[in-house]
Amino acid sequence: MTDIKPKKHYEILDGLRGVAAILVVTFHIFETFNGGNRFKQIINHGYLAVDFFFLLSGFVVAYAYDDRWGKMTQWEFYKRRLIRLQPMVVMGMIIGAIFYYFQASDILFPMIANMEVWKVIVTMVIGFTLLPIPPSLEIRGWGEMHPLNGPAWSLFFEYIANILYALIFRKFSNKVLSVFVLIFAGLLVNYLIFGPKGDVIGGWSLNLEQMNIGFTRLLYPFFAGVLLCRLGKLIHLKGAFWICSILIAIVLALPRFGDENSLWINGLYESFCIILVFPLIVAIGAGGQIKNAFSAKICKLLGDISYSIYITHYPLIYWYTAWVVDNKVSLEDGFLPGITLLVAAIVLAFVCLKLYDEPVRNWLQKKVGSKVQSDKVAKA
């Protein structure tokens, strides 16, 4: 692998990814109590964190690799991305398999109690590759392409975005890329305002409807992130990390807009957030600087665990959701166990990072002959 000097990474963007990841876990904990009604969801727009992740990924991938293609082959790019992402994909599936039978629920997951072990193992092994699980191997009943670890669907699309970038979009001029970004924005707005739900929830199942949602969610933010990086229009503000963290929290926490008869209102809000607010946050985060040791430590810790917590927390959510539903647990009674789950998810992410992810990535880098440290800037 060609020796390429590592670049300075954006500490604030690392930290913001961690903030969004923790909000995702919190969103999923509260989601357990909404009874399937998205209008009653606390931290209502927490799912938009995925769209924020896509935009961040596009920005940092362009920053890390746009000017390296003269010294790097496509295969070297893919190896770097695989080394960064794939070890925790495998760990997420293993954790999902370990917790699978603990998630048995007569109401929510009736398939689990009598599920053959071989089928779980096959699902886990397929999951290692991130290839979607075919309906014939459904082992949960929710129709997920990765039933052991639901959030892996976004990594599936992340890989597609990386391939599209390496094969096609990196070659485009800014003008051509801008045209595609505008088209992708139009597709997103059309789905959100004129579509059937007024939100971008979905993308995790292997069917035409869900794949359409997945690509609609992926294309604009990822390639808008690439374009934003290329344009270099950053915003320099004091306290950028804290300003951006507050903005992210507000965007994700605001209640649902409109009702069943005015879905377009919420679609308009989500269009505004994804197309304008998220790029604004990234521009502020990338343009800011860490001025004190405390903020630097917070950003580093959050950045370190961001990917790990996102890709390992959901098996705990399945378990928690089954407990809440089977026992008809109220939000009041489930609050303390929910806090415990959040802490456990953070600890699990940190342990996986230090005892598995970092050692495995270091070993893989040596194995493939790379002298480059893992891109902290590209923690997509």
Side-chain angles (χ1 to χ4, degrees):
M1 187 181 291
T2 305
D3 184 8
I4 300 175
K5 293 180 180 180
K7 295 184 177 183
K8 172 187 173 181
H9 69 277
Y10 291 110
E11 297 96 337
I12 292 177
L13 296 187
D14 286 347
L16 294 178
R17 182 177 286 107
V19 170
I22 290 175
L23 286 170
V24 166
V25 180
T26 309
F27 164 77
H28 284 145
I29 291 170
F30 281 120
E31 189 178 31
T32 303
F33 300 96
N34 72 9
N37 186 342
R38 67 189 67 187
F39 292 89
K40 296 180 179 180
Q41 172 70 34
I42 300 174
I43 309 185
N44 195 281
H45 293 89
Y47 50 85
L48 291 180
V50 172
D51 308 88
F52 179 67
F53 292 150
F54 284 150
L55 193 137
L56 266 179
S57 296
F59 183 93
V60 298
V61 165
Y63 174 75
Y65 298 108
D66 251 7
D67 61 354
R68 293 180 171 179
W69 288 101
K71 302 177 182 179
M72 177 183 64
T73 66
Q74 281 196 40
W75 176 233
E76 287 171 336
F77 169 76
Y78 296 141
K79 282 193 286 186
R80 283 184 170 82
R81 303 308 294 143
L82 285 168
I83 289 172
R84 176 65 192 102
L85 299 173
Q86 197 63 23
M88 283 308 302
V89 168
V90 172
M91 177 54 68
M93 295 300 167
I94 292 173
I95 292 172
I98 291 172
F99 280 92
Y100 177 75
Y101 287 103
F102 293 102
Q103 301 156 1
S105 165
D106 291 338
I107 299 174
L108 204 60
F109 305 127
M111 300 175 68
I112 291 180
N114 299 313
M115 185 59 57
E116 300 94 329
V117 173
W118 71 265
K119 206 168 187 178
V120 177
I121 293 173
V122 169
T123 301
M124 179 184 68
V125 173
I126 296 175
F128 290 166
T129 70
L130 270 185
L131 292 173
I133 300 297
S136 60
L137 282 177
E138 173 63 75
I139 63 171
R140 183 175 300 279
W142 277 7
E144 298 162 293
M145 66 170 68
H146 296 294
L148 290 176
N149 189 19
W153 73 269
S154 63
L155 271 297
F156 169 75
F157 282 101
E158 173 84 15
Y159 276 11
I160 291 175
N162 277 261
I163 293 169
L164 289 175
Y165 164 77
L167 286 176
I168 303 171
F169 284 84
R170 67 176 175 87
K171 303 175 183 178
F172 289 161
S173 67
N174 287 353
K175 289 184 179 180
V176 174
L177 181 59
S178 297
V179 171
F180 276 94
V181 168
L182 286 173
I183 292 171
F184 297 152
L187 294 174
L188 180 66
V189 170
N190 178 70
Y191 178 78
L192 280 169
I193 295 180
F194 302 104
K197 298 190 303 179
D199 59 51
V200 291
I201 297 175
W204 47 75
S205 296
L206 190 61
N207 60 53
L208 186 60
E209 176 189 4
Q210 291 291 308
M211 294 298 285
N212 175 57
I213 297 172
F215 278 106
T216 301
R217 297 184 71 172
L218 170 73
L219 292 174
Y220 170 78
F222 187 89
F223 291 107
V226 173
L227 182 62
L228 179 63
C229 178
R230 287 186 177 185
L231 295 176
K233 303 295 184 180
L234 305 184
I235 300 172
H236 306 285
L237 294 178
K238 293 182 179 179
F241 170 68
W242 303 104
I243 292 171
C244 292
S245 296
I246 292 170
L247 285 174
I248 291 172
I250 291 173
V251 167
L252 301 189
L254 283 177
R256 177 94 178 192
F257 292 91
D259 55 26
E260 292 91 341
N261 298 316
S262 55
L263 298 174
W264 66 271
I265 298 177
N266 194 73
L268 187 63
Y269 170 73
E270 294 190 14
S271 298
F272 174 73
C273 291
I274 297 171
I275 294 173
L276 296 176
V277 178
F278 287 166
L280 175 66
I281 291 173
V282 172
I284 295 173
Q289 293 183 353
I290 299 294
K291 295 292 187 179
N292 61 77
F294 176 73
S295 294
K297 290 180 180 179
I298 292 294
C299 285
K300 184 179 186 309
L301 176 61
L302 290 172
D304 285 347
I305 67 171
S306 59
Y307 176 47
S308 183
I309 193 173
Y310 177 74
I311 204 64
T312 62
H313 79 281
Y314 212 71
L316 300 178
I317 296 294
Y318 289 131
W319 192 6
Y320 180 74
T321 305
W323 172 71
V324 168
V325 172
D326 282 359
N327 296 280
K328 299 180 180 178
V329 178
S330 66
L331 176 59
E332 181 180 2
D333 292 336
F335 185 78
L336 184 57
I339 294 296
T340 304
L341 187 155
L342 177 60
V343 173
I346 293 172
V347 171
L348 176 63
F350 187 79
V351 170
C352 288
L353 172 75
K354 295 300 180 181
L355 299 185
Y356 168 76
D357 189 33
E358 290 181 345
V360 169
R361 282 190 282 127
N362 289 336
W363 179 83
L364 286 171
Q365 287 158 4
K366 294 177 182 178
K367 189 72 174 177
V368 297
S370 174
K371 299 179 182 179
V372 183
Q373 293 184 349
S374 180
D375 283 298
K376 289 185 178 179
V377 68
K379 286 185 177 179

